[in-house]
Amino acid sequence: MTIRNLPNGISRRGVLKGASALGAASLILPAGVRPASAEPKKGGILRVGMGHGSTSDSLDPGSWDNAYSQVFATARHNNLTEIAADGSLAPEIAESWEASADAMTWTFTIRQGVTFHSGKDLTPEDVVASINYHRGEESTSAAKPIVENITDIKIDGQNVVISLNGGNADFPFIMSDYHIPIMPAVDGKIDPTSTDGCGPYVVDKFDPGVEALLTRNPNYWKSDRAHFDGIVLLPIVDAAARQNALMSGEVDVIDRVDLNTVHLLQRAPNIKILSVSGTQHYTFIMDSRADPFTDNNVRMAVKHAVNREELVEKILNGYGVVGNDHPIGRSNRFHADDLEQRTYDPDKAKFYLREAGMDSLSLTLSASEAAFGGAVDAAVLISESAAAAGITVEVSREPADGYWSNVWMQKPFVASYWGGRPTEDWMFSTAYASGAPWNESYWEHEGFNKLLVEARSELDEAKRREMYVEMQRLVRDEGSTVIPMFANYVMAHTDAVATPEQIGANWTMDGFRAIERWWFA
Amino acid sequence: MQFLITTFWIVFFVAAALCLGWLFRTMIIRLAPTNFAASMRRAPLTASFGMLVILLYIFVALFAPVLAPFGEREIVGGEFLPWSSEHLLGTDNLGRDMLTRMIYGARNTVGIALATTALAFVVGALLGLLAATVGGWLDQVLGRTVDVLMAIPALIFSLLLLTIFGTSVTTLILVIALIDSTRVFRLARSVAIGIVVMDYIEAAKLRGEGLWYLITREILPNAMAPLVAEFGLRFCFVFLAISALSFLGLGIQPPTADWGSMVRENATLITFGDITPLLPAGAIALLTVAVNFVVDWKLHEASGLKE
Amino acid sequence: MANIWRMLAQRLGLGLVTLFVISLLIFGAAELLPGDFAQAVLGQSATEETVAAIRAEYGLDRPFHTRYVDWLGSALQGDFGQSLANRKPVADMIGDRLANTLFLALYAAAIAVPLSLMLGILAALFRNSIFDRSVNALALTSISFPEFFVAYILILWLAQSGLFPSISRFSVDLPLGQKLYNTFLPALTLTLVVTAHMMRMTRAAIINLLASPYIEMARLKGMPPFRVITRHALPNALAPIINVIALNLAYLITGVVVVEVVFVYPGLGQLMVDSVAKRDIPVVQAVALIFAAAYVLLNLTADVLSTLTNPRLMHRR
């Protein structure tokens, strides 16, 4: 199987043509490398303390915006495809898939014999309704932009055929998005207020902002997953409270470990820290339409005035790696390894400032804990390091409330974050493509946009790599975003909990799937 | 053993505090003009210790830039460095000198708290006394307005206001003062209402005294005690309000040092028995206790009790 | 007595007006807040098109006054509508949480009020003694610490050893003993937070009266000091004490969001803050009205009680 030959990658065939033959094997042993771990044991109630979750969480897939909703969703739902722990794409409800030569039409074969918790059999109609929920004028789903290029969905026997308005070699990845679980359809529509799904656990009780209780789905089609008998999912938003709950044994797993004190938590007996480096990165975006950021020299000056090492050390407490001003993580397929790492260089910053015809520069950097934990502190550090380069940065702490509607993409220089996307195309077309709704820096680059479209339907692996490397260089040297650090997902669990050797890096909590992948030792 | 050591330190600190109070009192009695010295002679040790602490805070606040070993926002080393001769209290989460932050914190925090409380009391007490004295529709209008404002929980109200008007220091002071003044109003009014029906007020009214005279000369002195007691507490509630706001992501703009936010930033350390967050919290507590000791003394003097 | 009844009726009427004004005020404030439900719920994923679709679906594109009048109309008929965020009836969302909030408030008040009255009286009795000073210093220290910090310290001492749970999991069907045990730490935190204020007011109000001629008189009669205070000083000092108690009770009901967050206690405060963040106006309105009603009622009780304790007020012209 080619999958194993590419350490962090996915074979072309793996994406263009998924097959159930390798599906079953690669499901529990995604990378096929876990001989050391003991066989998973069944049983026990797993109690999870999540750093998110609020009383206004809802069951509507279009509204899931925090890790609590997402982990809860993954516990009760399945998607068409799954991102395996090693970052490759694995089949889930889709048994296999195939693309047309131009990658514009995709045929997914739907697995048979899968039932919903309610007992209803899963059919291609359910798949169509589940995807359609996010499409169309009327749709209120946050996932609307990512399914926007679907022009048509048809049922063909046990197959679902999806047509796109342009070639997209990575389309099956999109079907793994947490917004698009397969839910039962009634008259061609899903009920967004129902907890019914075909996933590993059945919901007994859901009290938003308080708790969710689930028990194992006895009819779950994956016989080698879902080892716990039941799940208690608690939102514990306060970092100290979350750690206390773990240390006093009231929960077994927590996510979002407070990085300020992680070195102390590590010393606590019976506690293990899990740190996964993936695609999550923190950004400082400059509005490329607003003066002085219209001049690339100014943008370069700012990029050189940021002390990345210090940020990783002090904000992430070492739990992360420095960024190179492009959004592609080291675990991505086409990460540009040869691109020189940008470093803190006040002299270069001054040089670029002079190139822009300036002696000094005054900026206001807006930040809030809503952007990422420690964003305000990070802004303070940037303001200090930039001072040495003759750039005065005044930090403005913005209320977390309303940050995304009032500050982000509104003010000229702001902090932001991305959970990252599993593919280069997805990341670039979401946040850097011209006219994309989330192009946060309003960056317009003709060459980049042309490459992006070409690479999307390019089928030659080597050529494609070249294109993506060039795009990373363009974003790094001409883009309007400072990307100083990639943050690890840091979780902690008690000794009682066992995890597979390889943990998914695409999202927190083992790609949101800890609940079905982990077990009690 | 642990318990004995803790007890020893507590006794030690209390004794040291009283000694300092005694020294300070003796000094003042020698140096101060006679009438003040006379009143100081009657001050209990706790009160003179309180005054010493307050003066110390004022001194630190005034001369912060001279006293602080580093700049307020200057990053001087790694994060969470331990206590050493170079950094007496170590460094904070960004590698700034903790002692420096504490000293500047005195200036910012005490300044803001004082401004806010003073404003709240001037507005709240005056309106409260006015409402009680005049009565009638003015009392109703003011009373109902305050009812409406108070019926919205303080934290949520300030959250709304600060989100709408922004979080500069001025808005912060105005918003907290507005919310606090409603509490002061209610207290002032309820105390004054008991006084207004007293015979001596009736007498003053019959004498034909004006409203301003009634309020400032007759009612205020008699309502002073609970108001002063309230002042002592309101003063420290301002620190707490700022701290609670920083819990919700609002509060003072960085990199300004302030104790309330410093408690918040370092609070998680306490779960591991690390006492760093106790420094800013302790600074607030010491000031609160000191202010209230002095208030107690004044209260005692005002009550006219001779014992 | 007739005065009291008239005042009661008048104040209840005014209370309703207060509620109305608050509903308008909160609705208006929510309107002034940057962003609306559509933007808040989508957060970073908001696009113009989706925002418009959500506004249309929930009728948020209608003008301010239409929405308010609509809301008021159904609220008057007892229908507080549905939560925008999760489409549940607001009444369902609030029911349990209101009971939880009242439970915790009563629990804390049951410890704090007797404790602070007792300490206040004793401190006034033994004023300026070591006892008085240490009780004061302790109480003041405990309120100088922010609530979340008091909570962390209590957790460090009482929860990490496993004595009490640090997460107050709570549901209506637990037996009372279990409920009291699970919520002991939040109740203790709140007690520490409110005791000092009430204790000091009790002490101050009593001492304030001790120099009055009638107290002097009682003392000269040879009455023991404790009886002088409880029989003569306390009744006349009640007005300010009752007021402070009412304020603190109202605080226990409306202001404990921080404690709720730290102990993950399902009360109204958290619901309010979350709903403000999501601009879920029907929920915000309903909770604000409950808070306001609690406040108005407590205040009214305080005023009636202080009037009853002061005969002069009863016959005010």
Side-chain angles (χ1 to χ4, degrees):
Chain A
M1 273 182 278
T2 34
I3 280 184
R4 285 187 203 154
N5 301 336
L6 295 166
N8 287 321
I10 307 143
S11 74
R12 297 290 322 144
R13 203 176 65 89
V15 180
L16 287 177
K17 192 171 178 179
S20 63
L22 59 109
S26 64
L27 276 177
I28 23 153
L29 304 170
V33 280
R34 219 198 50 240
S37 279
E39 272 305 293
K41 271 199 311 206
K42 298 256 167 208
I45 308 275
L46 181 76
R47 297 158 306 166
V48 186
M50 299 286 302
H52 285 106
S54 92
T55 51
S56 36
D57 287 343
S58 94
L59 296 167
D60 180 348
S63 76
W64 297 332
D65 61 348
N66 64 55
Y68 184 89
S69 300
Q70 290 148 356
V71 167
F72 179 44
T74 317
R76 62 183 197 271
H77 293 302
N78 273 178
N79 280 41
L80 270 191
T81 56
E82 171 189 359
I83 309 246
D86 63 352
S88 67
L89 196 67
E92 196 162 36
I93 292 305
E95 208 164 36
S96 62
W97 54 86
E98 219 170 316
S100 62
D102 56 0
M104 279 179 70
T105 310
W106 288 83
T107 306
F108 293 86
T109 305
I110 306 305
R111 193 177 295 276
Q112 277 176 316
V114 177
T115 55
F116 289 103
H117 302 156
S118 55
K120 177 187 173 316
D121 282 326
L122 189 149
T123 62
E125 282 79 14
D126 299 319
V127 175
V128 173
S130 298
I131 299 173
N132 276 343
Y133 178 71
H134 306 276
R135 297 176 61 221
E137 279 283 288
E138 306 269 281
S139 171
T140 58
S141 167
K144 206 162 159 179
I146 66 171
V147 291
E148 173 167 71
N149 51 2
I150 298 179
T151 50
D152 187 39
I153 307 183
K154 274 197 304 269
I155 298 173
D156 173 17
Q158 194 59 24
N159 295 340
V160 170
V161 183
I162 301 180
S163 314
L164 309 178
N165 59 12
N168 187 349
D170 292 336
F171 181 74
F173 272 100
I174 292 189
M175 287 295 110
S176 75
D177 187 84
Y178 62 81
H179 285 106
I180 319 178
I182 307 306
M183 292 172 71
V186 178
D187 303 330
K189 280 199 158 58
I190 59 161
D191 174 8
T193 61
S194 136
T195 60
D196 197 10
C198 54
Y201 288 88
V202 184
V203 180
D204 294 328
K205 182 185 174 198
F206 173 49
D207 191 350
V210 183
E211 62 185 0
L213 307 177
L214 305 98
T215 43
R216 193 176 192 284
N217 173 7
N219 304 320
Y220 194 40
W221 63 273
K222 297 181 199 170
S223 54
D224 37 26
R225 290 276 185 101
H227 308 293
F228 303 107
D229 291 338
I231 305 291
V232 177
L233 200 56
L234 300 171
I236 310 179
V237 179
D238 185 63
R242 204 155 61 242
Q243 289 179 353
N244 275 314
L246 181 73
M247 287 192 289
S248 59
E250 287 161 77
V251 296
D252 307 301
V253 182
I254 61 169
D255 79 335
R256 273 169 59 108
V257 170
D258 176 44
L259 293 179
N260 265 336
T261 51
V262 60
H263 55 289
L264 296 168
L265 183 67
Q266 202 154 24
R267 280 186 228 150
N270 311 326
I271 305 264
K272 278 206 183 93
I273 308 285
L274 259 187
S275 168
V276 187
S277 110
T279 51
Q280 171 175 250
H281 55 275
Y282 298 158
T283 64
F284 293 90
I285 40 185
M286 303 170 271
D287 186 340
S288 60
R289 306 166 307 172
D291 271 332
F293 300 126
T294 41
D295 186 344
N296 191 40
N297 284 313
V298 173
R299 310 202 291 244
M300 286 298 266
V302 174
K303 286 174 181 176
H304 280 102
V306 174
N307 189 341
R308 293 149 208 267
E309 308 284 343
E310 186 185 39
L311 285 172
V312 170
E313 184 196 326
K314 289 183 176 164
I315 302 299
L316 304 178
N317 209 349
Y319 286 83
V321 289
V322 291
N324 203 10
D325 292 333
H326 64 71
I328 304 306
R330 280 155 212 236
S331 60
N332 276 83
R333 260 185 300 174
F334 302 126
H335 176 257
D337 300 317
D338 307 332
L339 218 50
E340 192 198 340
Q341 172 62 47
R342 179 158 291 146
T343 51
Y344 175 48
D345 192 339
D347 292 332
K348 257 196 192 154
K350 279 184 190 151
F351 164 80
Y352 280 112
L353 221 48
R354 274 197 305 278
E355 288 289 293
M358 300 177 178
D359 306 322
S360 64
L361 177 60
S362 275
L363 302 170
T364 300
L365 174 52
S366 309
S368 155
E369 295 298 300
F372 56 88
V376 178
D377 285 340
V380 170
L381 288 179
I382 288 180
S383 133
E384 287 303 300
S385 66
I391 303 177
T392 315
V393 178
E394 197 188 316
V395 178
S396 167
R397 182 214 300 252
E398 305 285 344
D401 182 64
Y403 185 75
W404 298 113
S405 51
N406 197 37
V407 180
W408 181 66
M409 294 186 72
Q410 304 288 326
K411 305 225 164 151
F413 191 22
V414 303
S416 170
Y417 87 106
W418 285 95
R421 297 291 181 268
T423 66
E424 290 75 10
D425 176 60
W426 197 344
M427 188 67 238
F428 281 138
S429 29
T430 307
Y432 297 86
S434 155
W438 300 321
N439 178 351
E440 35 182 20
S441 60
Y442 299 96
W443 188 54
E444 301 281 341
H445 192 286
E446 220 174 300
F448 174 88
N449 289 320
K450 217 172 121 235
L451 265 177
L452 184 64
V453 176
E454 282 170 17
R456 193 176 293 152
S457 47
E458 175 59 59
L459 298 178
D460 183 88
E461 176 96 15
K463 264 197 199 151
R464 207 168 177 215
R465 163 173 290 277
E466 226 166 83
M467 290 167 153
Y468 280 121
V469 168
E470 173 62 8
M471 280 149 79
Q472 289 169 55
R473 196 192 61 74
L474 285 175
V475 173
R476 171 184 184 265
D477 294 340
E478 291 173 50
S480 198
T481 310
V482 187
I483 305 180
M485 52 184 156
F486 277 70
N488 290 5
Y489 292 113
V490 186
M491 298 147 269
H493 62 81
T494 60
D495 282 344
V497 176
T499 67
E501 200 93 318
Q502 186 155 22
I503 306 286
N506 50 328
W507 296 107
T508 184
M509 293 297 285
D510 202 353
F512 297 146
R513 284 172 183 265
I515 284 175
E516 77 163 12
R517 287 178 184 168
W518 297 3
W519 64 92
F520 276 121
Chain B
M1 201 54 207
Q2 190 67 39
F3 176 73
L4 280 181
I5 294 174
T6 318
T7 320
F8 168 78
W9 280 113
I10 291 174
V11 171
F12 175 80
F13 277 120
V14 170
L18 292 179
C19 281
L20 281 175
W22 182 78
L23 278 175
F24 179 69
R25 188 172 68 182
T26 322
M27 196 178 81
I28 292 291
I29 293 171
R30 287 280 165 75
L31 299 176
T34 24
N35 53 348
F36 186 65
S39 92
M40 267 313 277
R41 223 180 284 276
R42 286 194 307 274
L45 284 181
T46 45
S48 56
F49 172 68
M51 287 168 85
L52 174 66
V53 170
I54 294 171
L55 284 179
L56 205 68
Y57 274 58
I58 294 175
F59 176 78
V60 170
L62 286 179
F63 296 102
V66 185
L67 294 171
F70 298 95
E72 180 177 8
R73 47 188 300 178
E74 192 185 340
I75 288 162
V76 295
E79 78 271 36
F80 294 130
L81 289 182
W83 297 14
S84 67
S85 56
E86 195 187 347
H87 304 292
L88 286 179
L89 299 178
T91 57
D92 71 356
N93 59 338
L94 296 185
R96 294 174 296 201
D97 184 61
M98 197 72 184
L99 179 64
T100 307
R101 301 285 292 170
M102 290 289 298
I103 290 173
Y104 276 100
R107 168 179 264 203
N108 303 326
T109 318
V110 175
I112 290 173
L114 206 60
T116 311
T117 325
L119 189 61
F121 266 78
V122 169
V123 175
L126 269 186
L127 288 180
L129 298 182
L130 193 68
T133 320
V134 176
W137 65 267
L138 182 73
D139 187 21
Q140 286 297 336
V141 169
L142 284 173
R144 277 348 98 204
T145 314
V146 163
D147 268 356
V148 168
L149 292 181
M150 285 183 80
I152 307 170
L155 197 57
I156 287 164
F157 196 27
S158 35
L159 186 85
L160 286 176
L161 291 179
L162 288 174
T163 315
I164 295 172
F165 297 114
T167 51
S168 70
V169 172
T170 324
T171 26
L172 200 68
I173 290 177
L174 289 178
V175 165
I176 300 180
L178 168 74
I179 291 170
D180 264 6
S181 68
T182 58
R183 273 74 180 162
V184 178
F185 171 90
R186 238 192 101 77
L187 180 75
R189 180 185 170 276
S190 75
V191 173
I193 260 186
I195 298 171
V196 168
V197 289
M198 292 285 183
D199 295 337
Y200 57 84
I201 303 291
E202 291 291 322
K205 274 188 188 160
L206 290 176
R207 279 206 309 273
E209 301 291 359
L211 187 61
W212 181 247
Y213 179 91
L214 272 181
I215 290 178
T216 52
R217 295 298 172 80
E218 299 284 353
I219 302 174
L220 187 59
N222 288 295
M224 211 55 190
L227 282 180
V228 169
E230 182 78 2
F231 184 90
L233 286 181
R234 282 285 149 216
F235 184 65
C236 101
F237 284 172
V238 176
F239 303 102
L240 299 185
I242 293 174
S243 193
L245 284 172
S246 65
F247 191 88
L248 298 178
L250 294 157
I252 290 181
Q253 289 289 350
T256 310
D258 107 278
W259 293 335
S261 316
M262 283 167 78
V263 180
R264 175 65 206 147
E265 281 157 19
N266 297 302
T268 33
L269 286 170
I270 197 77
T271 18
F272 299 97
D274 186 317
I275 59 159
T276 311
L278 277 179
L279 291 173
I284 297 176
L286 187 61
L287 182 58
T288 310
V289 173
V291 167
N292 282 287
F293 273 159
V294 177
V295 163
D296 283 351
W297 171 47
K298 285 289 156 199
L299 218 57
H300 184 71
E301 281 205 325
S303 73
L305 286 174
K306 290 287 177 290
E307 55 205 276
Chain C
M1 249 358 244
N3 273 345
I4 285 283
W5 290 117
R6 211 174 52 224
M7 171 182 147
L8 211 58
Q10 202 184 9
R11 291 291 296 275
L12 277 176
L14 279 168
L16 287 179
V17 177
T18 308
L19 290 189
F20 168 75
V21 175
I22 283 177
S23 79
L24 193 59
L25 214 65
I26 297 279
F27 212 90
E31 195 66 20
L32 286 177
L33 283 178
D36 66 354
F37 169 71
Q39 287 168 325
V41 79
L42 291 167
Q44 204 187 7
S45 350
T47 63
E48 251 166 66
E49 211 186 311
T50 327
V51 165
I54 292 187
R55 280 191 189 140
E57 179 166 339
Y58 290 92
L60 299 175
D61 45 0
R62 294 171 304 153
F64 171 76
H65 57 271
T66 327
R67 276 181 289 132
Y68 180 72
V69 169
D70 271 10
W71 175 85
L72 190 64
S74 23
L76 284 178
Q77 294 161 28
D79 172 16
F80 286 90
Q82 277 189 349
S83 153
L84 300 180
N86 49 27
R87 305 184 205 201
K88 287 187 178 173
V90 172
D92 288 3
M93 292 180 67
I94 284 176
D96 279 356
R97 282 178 180 265
L98 176 60
N100 297 351
T101 290
L102 291 179
F103 177 85
L104 185 59
L106 279 179
Y107 190 2
I111 308 175
V113 173
L115 183 72
S116 45
L117 282 180
M118 211 174 63
L119 287 178
I121 292 172
L122 288 178
L125 183 62
F126 302 111
R127 57 197 165 275
N128 306 334
S129 67
I130 292 186
F131 170 79
D132 177 29
R133 302 272 187 240
S134 8
V135 165
N136 262 309
L138 270 180
L140 288 169
T141 311
S142 78
I143 51 160
S144 319
F145 288 175
E147 283 164 50
F148 59 85
F149 195 60
V150 174
Y152 290 169
I153 293 178
L154 290 180
I155 288 177
L156 174 69
W157 285 345
L158 298 173
Q160 282 191 3
S161 52
L163 219 53
F164 290 97
S166 70
I167 304 286
S168 303
R169 296 189 60 196
F170 194 87
S171 68
V172 246
D173 31 287
L174 286 175
L176 183 65
Q178 190 68 35
K179 276 185 189 170
L180 291 175
Y181 173 72
N182 281 5
T183 53
F184 180 72
L185 287 185
L188 190 60
T189 309
L190 290 174
T191 302
L192 288 175
V193 168
V194 296
T195 299
H197 197 193
M198 293 190 284
M199 188 278 270
R200 286 187 57 80
M201 189 48 74
T202 309
R203 179 184 180 278
I206 291 176
I207 289 185
N208 193 31
L209 289 172
L210 286 185
S212 318
Y214 73 98
I215 300 280
E216 201 70 25
M217 185 63 162
R219 214 176 326 192
L220 288 176
K221 277 194 312 198
M223 217 182 217
F226 188 73
R227 278 191 55 142
V228 172
I229 286 183
T230 48
R231 294 287 295 277
H232 293 280
L234 191 58
N236 283 299
L238 275 178
I241 298 177
I242 290 174
N243 263 297
V244 169
I245 291 181
L247 268 186
N248 280 292
L249 287 182
Y251 177 78
L252 286 178
I253 294 176
T254 63
V256 299
V257 55
V258 171
V259 172
E260 284 174 17
V261 168
V262 172
F263 291 102
V264 201
Y265 186 81
L268 284 175
Q270 219 174 338
L271 182 65
M272 176 84 163
V273 170
D274 284 352
S275 307
V276 169
K278 280 275 161 68
R279 309 284 185 268
D280 193 345
I281 305 305
V283 182
V284 173
Q285 286 284 58
V287 181
L289 286 186
I290 289 179
F291 284 168
Y295 174 80
V296 166
L297 286 178
L298 278 169
N299 239 341
L300 180 54
T301 317
D303 281 357
V304 170
L305 287 179
S306 15
T307 311
L308 287 176
T309 58
N310 189 341
R312 287 198 195 87
L313 282 178
M314 295 276 285
H315 309 290
R316 195 182 183 194
R317 286 169 295 273

